Amino acid sequence: MRLHPMVKQRIAFAILSLSTIFVVLPVLAVVYLLLARGLPAINWTFLSQSPVHMMREGGILPAIVGTIYLIIGTTVFALPLGVMSAIYLSEYAKPGPFTRLIRLSIVNLAGVPSVVYGLFGLGLFVMLLHFGASLLSGSLTLAILTLPVVITASEEALSSVPQSFRDASLALGATKWQTTVGVVLPNAVSGIITGLILGIGRAAGETAPILFTVAAFYLRDLPHSIYDQAMALPYHLYVLSTQVPNAPPKIQWGTALVLLALVLGMNLVATTIRAKYRRARKW
Amino acid sequence: MTQTPDTAKPGSLKSMRRLAEPLVEKLVALNGALAIIFVVLIMAFLLRDGLPVFRSVSVSKFLFGRDWYPLSDQFQTLPLILGSLAVTLGAVVIAVPVGIAAAVYLAEIAPVRVREILKPTVEVLAGIPSVVIGFIGMVVLAPWVKGAFDLPTGMTALTGSIMLAFMAMPTIISISEDAIVAVPRDYGSGALALGATSWQSIAGVTVPAAKSGIIAAVMLGIGRAIGETMTVLMVTGNAAVIPHSLLQPVRTMTATIAAEMGEVAQGTPHYFSLFAIGLVLFLMTFAINLIADLALQRTRVRR
């Protein structure tokens, strides 16, 4: 039996839209579940107190604080390194095998499994450099994981600055470096920040890289220095779901919701900056 | 270079700047090589702490032996490798057709308004942390799998595959969609002008023209699935046995590293063996990414 081409088209389009629904519906269901079951857990006590009674009661403050410290630490390392690397690619690199090798490395770095970053951080920062399991080791590990995103986004932002801006600056007698720092970089700032927040947002939700480099099961005090271990939201959720028998579901869902809100919130900030910047572009 | 003749007096601020310039350029170039440096460093550390395991077990035993019993010094990773492959294969079977279909829908069929709602949803999916996906898998999907297939436990390879499929889909969808959108409009229009229906033009002309990009999307999706750690650690049951069906617990390479690294002492064969598993993983994802990159390179050359 041969179907009429238009009938075939109808069937095909129906299958395609069903597939899309199959992707989208579970996402909405997950977000709904997290809101429905997580929101009732969230109150001031939950956000401002430490866990008590073997983590079956109390709040998640140390985990929130630890994750915020990791976000700051990761930014401190990933931003300058990523931007300098992007400046090289956008302003200085000439096409050739070296540049090709850099790009290939960035692609591969982006594809390295997160747990392998954890092994690397353990080998280099925790063991070889003797930073121990600490905020410093964790931040450095997450920074390397974030680098591909920061480099790629920053390079795109830098290269989208029109050549005429550079020409004008060079014609006025500025050196190449002065032009890059004084003219190109300021015009790429919002693109760079967008990429940075996207990258850090992803890093903040990662568990495997911090398992052996910083994460602590339970700490009574908040970390005091960069050489201290810290609790972190993703690891705390893992602990609550697998290591604490009979942990109340309410606390689990609440922790999951806070983590998701933090990560998606950062994504939202990034996309808002991007949208604004596209509208306000001077060229 | 647009270097102007240096007229400044030696020792003045201006000449200092001119002198500093080459130094700055060196520093920038060093930073440019950062990605290469880190790939090499990661590789070096995996080799340094991974290779010593082959003092206590032969390469072939390590890769093809069936016994992973770290407590009795048996470091044979075949069950873990097969566990990873089984879970990934299951995820690919779900995510590839669904992901490509959704990409075609978003790129070619969806009205602009619908697309503007659906695309952010896919981005949300990409943004959900893997530990949250694992948690949902544990409390929602696993009980369902247990009931639906009447199993002793819901923590199975299938549960892992389903969750991983959703984690690989955003990658597959967004890269395939980019590839499809990048096909010149004229290709499809040409088919339509010859009397083809839109479906015939999409399936016969546009999608085949985006083939390289879609292959890259699939490869990157596979890379994402095979390297995923927390989700599989939480939902696959972690039994280090050779899997015979998707309905039994398995243990992946990534989950093994995550679960056991916290308990081993540095410098023991167990410690080395976990790094060696990391090395195998690194080489696998390296190869996968290389293939994806070559496929993407081909699309760039052609246009």
Side-chain angles (χ1 to χ4, degrees):
Chain A
M1 189 186 75
R2 282 187 62 106
L3 289 170
H4 189 274
M6 288 312 282
V7 178
K8 262 193 187 164
Q9 169 161 323
R10 280 236 177 112
I11 297 171
F13 282 13
I15 293 174
L16 293 182
S17 36
L18 276 179
S19 301
T20 312
I21 293 171
F22 181 76
V23 180
V24 169
L25 266 191
V27 181
L28 300 179
V30 163
V31 173
Y32 168 78
L33 266 179
L34 281 163
L35 286 173
R37 299 193 186 173
L39 272 183
I42 291 175
N43 52 44
W44 186 239
T45 315
F46 187 69
L47 298 176
S48 67
Q49 301 211 333
S50 291
V52 287
H53 293 130
M54 314 290 288
M55 301 208 236
R56 296 201 184 95
E57 280 171 55
I60 55 169
L61 179 71
I64 297 177
V65 171
T67 290
I68 290 173
Y69 284 171
L70 282 174
I71 288 174
I72 296 170
T74 308
T75 307
V76 167
F77 296 117
L79 182 64
L81 293 179
V83 170
M84 286 288 268
S85 187
I87 286 178
Y88 175 75
L89 284 171
S90 157
E91 307 299 314
Y92 288 88
K94 297 172 185 71
F98 183 59
T99 308
R100 171 93 186 96
L101 191 63
I102 293 177
R103 293 192 191 288
L104 198 64
S105 302
I106 294 174
V107 170
N108 274 301
L109 212 50
V112 171
S114 55
V115 72
V116 173
Y117 279 103
L119 287 179
F120 174 62
L122 174 70
L124 178 59
F125 303 125
V126 178
M127 300 290 190
L128 190 70
L129 298 178
H130 295 291
F131 295 157
S134 63
L135 279 170
L136 182 60
S137 300
S139 301
L140 284 164
T141 308
L142 288 177
I144 300 171
L145 173 128
T146 313
L147 267 185
V149 182
V150 178
I151 295 176
T152 312
S154 304
E155 193 204 342
E156 208 184 299
L158 291 166
S159 351
S160 72
V161 175
Q163 184 57 35
S164 57
F165 285 33
R166 296 181 184 85
D167 294 342
S169 166
L170 292 169
L172 288 170
T175 63
K176 180 146 184 160
W177 178 245
Q178 288 171 326
T179 303
T180 304
V181 175
V183 178
V184 184
L185 200 57
N187 279 294
V189 159
S190 25
I192 293 172
I193 290 178
T194 306
L196 179 75
I197 301 176
L198 280 177
I200 304 280
R202 214 197 98 196
E206 285 283 1
T207 316
I210 62 172
L211 275 178
F212 340 115
T213 55
V214 51
F217 190 81
Y218 173 73
L219 294 172
R220 273 179 56 183
D221 300 313
L222 295 178
H224 294 300
S225 88
I226 52 170
Y227 295 106
D228 283 349
Q229 272 192 290
M231 293 173 74
L233 280 172
Y235 183 62
H236 192 59
L237 177 59
Y238 170 67
V239 166
L240 284 175
S241 352
T242 59
Q243 318 278 307
V244 181
N246 305 320
K250 206 170 141 185
I251 292 188
Q252 297 175 335
W253 286 96
T255 307
L257 181 61
V258 172
L259 175 59
L260 187 75
L262 182 84
V263 171
L264 291 187
M266 288 179 77
N267 275 343
L268 196 67
V269 170
T271 36
T272 314
I273 294 176
R274 182 166 52 195
K276 258 206 182 136
Y277 144 82
R278 287 222 170 115
R279 252 179 284 131
R281 207 184 266 211
K282 291 182 210 131
W283 55 91
Chain B
M1 284 298 289
T2 46
Q3 209 73 286
T4 46
D6 196 347
T7 51
K9 288 189 202 81
S12 74
L13 196 65
K14 213 171 158 195
S15 82
M16 293 276 281
R17 283 218 178 109
R18 297 260 180 250
L19 282 173
E21 193 84 2
L23 214 75
V24 168
E25 286 194 16
K26 290 246 161 52
L27 194 71
V28 172
L30 185 69
N31 262 284
L34 219 55
I36 304 178
I37 295 171
F38 279 126
V39 169
V40 172
L41 270 181
I42 291 175
M43 182 82 171
F45 269 88
L46 293 174
L47 287 170
R48 190 192 75 146
D49 284 351
L51 288 186
V53 78
F54 298 118
R55 277 190 235 128
S56 35
V57 57
S58 71
V59 175
S60 64
K61 262 267 162 75
F62 180 78
L63 290 175
F64 304 113
R66 303 163 143 261
D67 300 313
W68 178 258
Y69 301 122
L71 289 179
S72 40
D73 278 340
Q74 295 288 330
F75 305 108
Q76 305 171 4
T77 57
L78 188 65
L80 315 177
I81 295 174
L82 289 181
S84 277
L85 292 182
V87 175
T88 303
L89 192 72
V92 165
V93 167
I94 303 168
V96 167
V98 174
I100 294 175
V104 173
Y105 178 80
L106 288 173
E108 293 285 317
I109 303 167
V112 180
R113 275 239 178 110
V114 176
R115 181 167 34 203
E116 272 170 9
I117 301 169
L118 294 184
K119 282 200 72 166
T121 318
V122 176
E123 276 169 30
V124 166
L125 179 58
I128 303 178
S130 58
V131 68
V132 174
I133 302 224
F135 171 64
I136 300 277
M138 274 179 80
V139 296
V140 180
L141 184 66
W144 181 84
V145 169
K146 179 172 147 74
F149 296 96
D150 196 19
L151 299 168
T153 169
M155 306 290 195
T156 63
L158 179 70
T159 322
S161 293
I162 296 174
M163 296 323 276
L164 278 192
F166 279 97
M167 305 189 71
M169 271 181 213
T171 307
I172 297 179
I173 293 174
S174 60
I175 296 172
S176 304
E177 198 206 340
D178 285 349
I180 296 167
V181 170
V183 173
R185 276 278 149 209
D186 305 355
Y187 287 28
S189 315
L192 292 175
L194 290 170
T197 64
S198 358
W199 170 241
Q200 285 170 330
S201 134
I202 292 168
V205 179
T206 312
V207 172
K211 199 177 67 193
S212 304
I214 294 175
I215 291 173
V218 169
M219 294 312 294
L220 291 174
I222 294 174
R224 176 99 208 261
I226 208 162
E228 177 44 52
T229 309
M230 296 318 287
T231 306
V232 288
L233 175 63
M234 291 164 85
V235 305
T236 57
N238 295 322
V241 290
I242 305 248
H244 295 289
S245 116
L246 279 182
L247 292 175
Q248 74 184 58
V250 294
R251 165 179 271 227
T252 66
M253 296 188 278
T254 51
T256 305
I257 299 173
E260 296 178 10
M261 191 44 109
E263 295 150 17
V264 303
Q266 190 196 5
T268 58
H270 191 188
Y271 178 90
F272 296 139
S273 72
L274 294 178
F275 271 87
I277 294 174
L279 182 64
V280 174
L281 260 175
F282 179 82
L283 294 176
M284 279 179 163
T285 48
F286 195 93
I288 290 168
N289 278 294
L290 207 62
I291 298 172
D293 193 61
L294 289 176
L296 280 179
Q297 218 56 38
R298 268 187 52 186
T299 59
R300 256 174 239 138
V301 169
R302 216 182 38 204
R303 291 208 177 97

